[in-house]
Amino acid sequence: MNTKQVIESGQAILGIEFGSTRIKAVLIDEQNKPIAQGSHEWENQLVDGLWTYSIEDIWKGLQDCYADLRKDVKQQYDCEIETLAGIGFSAMMHGYMAFDENQQILVPFRTWRNTNTGKAAAELSQLFNYNIPLRWSISHLYQCILNNDAHVKDIKYLTTLAGYIHWQVTGKFVLGVGDASGMIPVDPATKTYDADMVAKFDNILDSKGLPFHLLDILPKSLSAGQDAGLLTPKGAKMIDVSGHLKAGIPVCPPEGDAGTGMVATNAVKQRTGNVSAGTSSFSMIVLEKPLSKPYEMIDMVTTPDGSLVAMVHCNNCTSDINAWVSLFKEYQQLLGVKVDMNELYGKLFNEALKGDTDCGGLISYNYVSGEPVTGLAEGRPMFIRSAGDKFNLANFMRAHLYGAIGVLKIGNDILFKEEKIKVDRITGHGGYFKTPGVGQRMLAAALNSPISVMETAGEGGAWGIALLSAFQVRNSQKYSLEDYLEKVVFAGNQGTSVAPTAEDVAGFDNYIENYKRCLPVEQSAVDHK
């Protein structure tokens, strides 16, 4: 079939991902290749000191994104999407979406970006003997309990953004195991919530006199490929306001953006990993065995099929670079020079390759928001140099590219230097790698590991969740997820690899020592503004 016939016959598959700044839809054909796209730009809002997106913005964004996809299909193929072989939804992991018995949200959605849960996360980490990050749903819930928030007693459902959307369009209160592992830890053996930790938390709920236990309010955990329900007539209208999309389409288990990133980079197999670097960044290393002990900087989650993953999550990545590039754009406009942003990014990123491997002593902190890995509750973007440092454009740009992944390096040094974790392949994806070869080289130096980038990496998590839907509805061979990706989707393609040089590795090590020494300066900026 040609592409138009694939769409008209309902054989295409749709993946939609809610990212931090963009909602993206990707339509794929029977060969898992993207054939149409749609998007919607959005921004989180700071309301009463907490980062949130409104329920209205969630649905308006989904509908606008889907309408943009329909427009692309119409322009390219002169046809309409009436039905699909499958649909998948993914979104930013973690956070807090609590609903009452009428499925009404009790407090505004609290995103992964919030760092107000320090006391709760610390107490739970001690109780569970397991690192519980600030952004996990269980931290948010417990912090609300500690704060004696009035809404807690009314909670009937607690889920993530991906889980919420799936629930509303299918009627099924479920969650992919990867996303579920960011609510409360998952046992890799059972692929559902850790029973011992659930029991310990239930004791807290009982002691507070709350009228529910944890499993009463959490979505059911599902592995990739399991039945997660069908699109309802109401759900179809919530996605496609034009009324063309029909009900009855299988919808795969909803996943978090970390899980879809692993799928999109063929990194669900043990001894593989990936780094997603955009507005925020995180690395995911699929482990052969558990770590020797808990680490505050490392979160333990799972792949979409339940394998244990060591995750280093950083709240900040490219936002500060983008701000500086915008400054250069203003300067060009001031001179009357026409600005091509792709060219501007490309030239500035490539200039960084000419810089000293240690950035000449310059340091960049990209902390637009707080950064739990380095202990900062709030962020202050900051550029530091001393009078004797080599201050030029190449070192300036290199310092910002290093700074964007500095926190990532600090966390991964634990895995590679202390735990002696072995990996066969790490794949990068996200805006940080858009300029060929530059971000790869910087990350290779940071992790002292070869870094691969695939041509498909730019498709990102929306493509990843579409692949999970394809795994559910097209896996006639009954492959495991890792084999399906390896043999069907990627067919041996491992992308273009850049290996670290000894000089770059030594330079980044020097940079990161300066970076760590000056963290009190960053803290002081937080304290005094």
Side-chain angles (χ1 to χ4, degrees):
M1 290 190 289
N2 63 33
T3 303
K4 181 176 181 178
Q5 290 170 326
V6 169
I7 296 169
E8 289 183 329
S9 64
Q11 297 305 303
I13 285 177
L14 174 62
I16 298 180
E17 180 159 280
F18 288 70
S20 302
T21 59
R22 185 169 63 145
I23 305 169
K24 184 176 179 181
V26 170
L27 200 65
I28 64 173
D29 63 14
E30 291 176 298
Q31 283 73 48
N32 300 305
K33 300 288 191 297
I35 52 176
Q37 297 187 4
S39 67
H40 171 82
E41 305 290 326
W42 71 339
E43 284 288 344
N44 52 190
Q45 306 296 320
L46 192 62
V47 178
D48 296 328
L50 295 170
W51 293 104
T52 187
Y53 301 86
S54 71
I55 294 292
E56 294 74 22
D57 283 348
I58 291 168
W59 293 108
K60 176 188 170 189
L62 173 60
Q63 291 160 4
D64 187 58
C65 178
Y66 186 81
D68 195 45
L69 173 75
R70 285 183 58 234
K71 180 181 175 184
D72 189 36
V73 167
K74 189 75 173 172
Q75 286 177 342
Q76 287 197 72
Y77 311 110
D78 191 28
C79 64
E80 182 63 64
I81 304 168
E82 300 285 349
T83 188
L84 296 156
I87 303 177
F89 295 99
S90 67
M92 300 165 274
M93 290 180 74
H94 323 301
Y96 184 76
M97 297 192 84
F99 298 85
D100 66 15
E101 61 186 353
N102 298 314
Q103 301 185 17
Q104 297 300 304
I105 198 161
L106 290 164
V107 290
F109 167 36
R110 298 174 182 180
T111 77
W112 58 269
R113 198 173 182 183
N114 291 294
T115 54
N116 63 308
T117 55
K119 181 175 174 58
E123 290 188 11
L124 290 175
S125 296
Q126 187 170 17
L127 177 68
F128 296 156
N129 191 31
Y130 202 96
N131 179 42
I132 304 298
L134 302 180
R135 66 188 180 281
W136 279 15
S137 305
I138 198 71
S139 296
H140 283 281
L141 174 59
Y142 188 41
Q143 191 65 54
C144 291
I145 292 171
L146 292 175
N147 295 345
N148 294 312
D149 288 354
H151 77 270
V152 173
K153 68 181 184 306
D154 298 319
I155 296 175
K156 294 293 182 184
Y157 306 95
L158 180 65
T159 189
T160 65
L161 179 54
Y164 167 64
I165 295 157
H166 182 99
W167 174 36
Q168 294 303 301
V169 302
T170 66
K172 300 291 185 182
F173 193 60
V174 298
L175 200 57
V177 63
D179 207 5
S181 68
M183 298 198 77
I184 186 171
V186 159
D187 181 347
T190 63
K191 302 189 191 311
T192 190
Y193 307 107
D194 186 284
D196 289 341
M197 296 184 200
V198 167
K200 288 178 179 178
F201 197 82
D202 281 346
N203 289 336
I204 293 174
L205 297 175
D206 289 342
S207 71
K208 300 289 185 179
L210 289 163
F212 56 82
H213 283 153
L214 202 51
L215 295 184
D216 298 335
I217 64 171
L218 292 182
K220 182 182 179 182
S221 172
L222 298 177
S223 292
Q226 288 189 274
D227 178 22
L230 303 173
L231 185 66
T232 62
K234 174 189 170 189
K237 290 175 183 173
M238 293 173 83
I239 299 168
D240 181 11
V241 294
S242 76
H244 284 277
L245 188 64
K246 293 181 172 57
I249 301 165
V251 188
C252 72
E255 267 297 348
D257 50 2
T260 57
M262 285 187 275
V263 171
T265 54
N266 192 18
V268 301
K269 188 178 183 179
Q270 291 180 0
R271 290 176 65 105
T272 66
N274 81 90
V275 170
S276 173
T279 306
S280 62
S281 71
F282 50 81
S283 63
M284 314 286 289
I285 307 296
V286 189
L287 302 178
E288 296 177 277
K289 60 182 181 179
L291 300 181
S292 64
K293 61 180 181 180
Y295 293 93
E296 191 174 344
M297 294 180 185
I298 297 170
D299 310 342
M300 303 307 297
V301 293
T302 78
T303 62
D305 58 349
S307 291
L308 202 58
V309 176
M311 178 182 192
V312 177
H313 184 282
C314 312
N315 281 1
N316 305 280
C317 187
T318 58
S319 294
D320 195 37
I321 293 176
N322 295 342
W324 283 104
V325 174
S326 293
L327 196 68
F328 287 115
K329 170 190 170 186
E330 285 186 45
Y331 174 66
Q332 282 190 267
Q333 290 173 328
L334 192 64
L335 294 179
V337 177
K338 188 177 179 181
V339 179
D340 180 318
M341 291 305 287
N342 286 329
E343 182 184 17
L344 183 57
Y345 271 100
K347 285 188 179 297
L348 288 170
F349 272 47
N350 278 296
E351 184 67 16
L353 296 177
K354 303 175 186 175
D356 296 310
T357 58
D358 65 351
C359 307
L362 311 182
I363 303 172
S364 166
Y365 293 102
N366 64 336
Y367 297 2
V368 174
S369 62
E371 197 56 82
V373 171
T374 46
L376 274 293
E378 293 180 44
R380 299 287 183 271
M382 185 182 295
F383 174 71
I384 298 177
R385 68 185 180 102
S386 62
D389 291 338
K390 297 177 185 175
F391 185 45
N392 56 42
L393 183 59
N395 282 338
F396 178 83
M397 285 307 301
R398 193 169 185 127
H400 281 88
L401 284 166
Y402 277 15
I405 55 172
V407 179
L408 200 67
K409 174 176 173 57
I410 291 170
N412 277 280
D413 277 352
I414 293 172
L415 293 176
F416 297 125
K417 294 182 178 180
E418 294 184 32
E419 289 283 334
K420 310 296 185 188
I421 297 299
K422 303 296 181 189
V423 290
D424 299 323
R425 183 179 74 241
I426 297 177
T427 307
H429 64 116
Y432 185 82
F433 303 103
K434 192 171 182 180
T435 302
V438 180
Q440 268 180 282
R441 181 171 162 185
M442 302 300 168
L443 186 63
L447 303 187
N448 193 16
S449 171
I451 304 297
S452 297
V453 171
M454 299 181 184
E455 287 182 19
T456 51
E459 306 301 341
W463 185 56
I465 191 67
L467 294 180
L468 285 171
S469 178
F471 174 69
Q472 181 185 31
V473 300
R474 293 179 179 161
N475 186 19
S476 59
Q477 299 287 330
K478 302 302 178 189
Y479 285 127
S480 65
L481 180 60
E482 66 179 65
D483 283 344
Y484 183 79
L485 295 175
E486 194 75 41
K487 296 175 181 178
V488 178
V489 177
F490 293 94
N493 174 26
Q494 295 189 0
T496 305
S497 183
V498 170
T501 68
E503 186 182 15
D504 280 353
V505 171
F508 208 124
D509 283 345
N510 287 337
Y511 174 90
I512 212 68
E513 289 308 312
N514 287 336
Y515 183 101
K516 289 189 284 191
R517 274 197 296 271
C518 289
L519 277 169
V521 180
E522 172 71 16
Q523 182 64 60
S524 183
V526 171
D527 294 340
H528 292 91
K529 183 181 177 185

